[in-house]
Amino acid sequence: MTQPAPAFGSTLAMNTNLNGEWDCDPTGRMATGRDVLAQRLVSRQLTTLGSVIDCPNDCFDINDWLSANMTDGQVAQLPGQIHTELLKDQEVQSLTVTVNYNPATSTLVLTENIISGYGPFSLTITVTPGNVAALVGTIQGST
């Protein structure tokens, strides 16, 4: 028997603003369903560790990694750190993470394939100095 998709509730929609910052949608649009989960996952990767008062051990800011001129060793560690962080969300059942880093342009591309109660979906986050773009890919299964 197929389980019904979980109700993630609704919240203000987030997106990348004109300054390349992850912020509330200026139109006041609401996000529902799987988009709420995707926004939470992006926010976990763009929020400084310790800055969420009721979850002081959650989150990390990927911009900190990028601004540190990542070494090959740090690039190799990043998928594991992202994997550990995203599994802290109770709706994430499993995931794979791929990291591509171009040191010449300081561009970091994170590709995350996530299995949740809504089924599989992909999340791609591109980070360059001072700019973040997040794109949620196709969902397979119920929406």
Side-chain angles (χ1 to χ4, degrees), residues 3-55:
Q3 294 289 330
F8 293 130
S10 63
T11 188
L12 282 173
M14 303 286 288
N15 61 19
T16 306
N17 67 22
L18 295 175
N19 295 322
E21 301 160 338
W22 187 243
D23 201 357
C24 291
D25 186 307
T27 67
R29 179 178 62 86
M30 296 299 287
T32 59
R34 180 261 331 183
D35 289 337
V36 173
L37 172 60
Q39 287 183 187
R40 283 196 325 244
L41 298 179
V42 171
S43 293
R44 278 186 172 279
Q45 298 169 78
L46 299 174
T47 302
T48 303
L49 176 68
S51 66
V52 180
I53 196 163
D54 55 343
C55 300

Side-chain angles (χ1 to χ4, degrees), residues 18-94:
L18 295 175
N19 295 322
E21 301 160 338
W22 187 243
D23 201 357
C24 291
D25 186 307
T27 67
R29 179 178 62 86
M30 296 299 287
T32 59
R34 180 261 331 183
D35 289 337
V36 173
L37 172 60
Q39 287 183 187
R40 283 196 325 244
L41 298 179
V42 171
S43 293
R44 278 186 172 279
Q45 298 169 78
L46 299 174
T47 302
T48 303
L49 176 68
S51 66
V52 180
I53 196 163
D54 55 343
C55 300
N57 298 317
D58 288 4
C59 304
F60 68 94
D61 191 346
I62 196 67
N63 289 299
D64 293 343
W65 286 64
L66 190 61
S67 64
N69 296 319
M70 293 188 300
T71 65
D72 290 342
Q74 289 171 315
V75 172
Q77 292 174 352
L78 195 51
Q81 180 157 350
I82 292 168
H83 187 269
T84 299
E85 184 60 40
L86 297 188
L87 280 177
K88 291 178 184 177
D89 190 295
Q90 64 186 3
E91 300 297 338
V92 175
Q93 297 168 357
S94 66

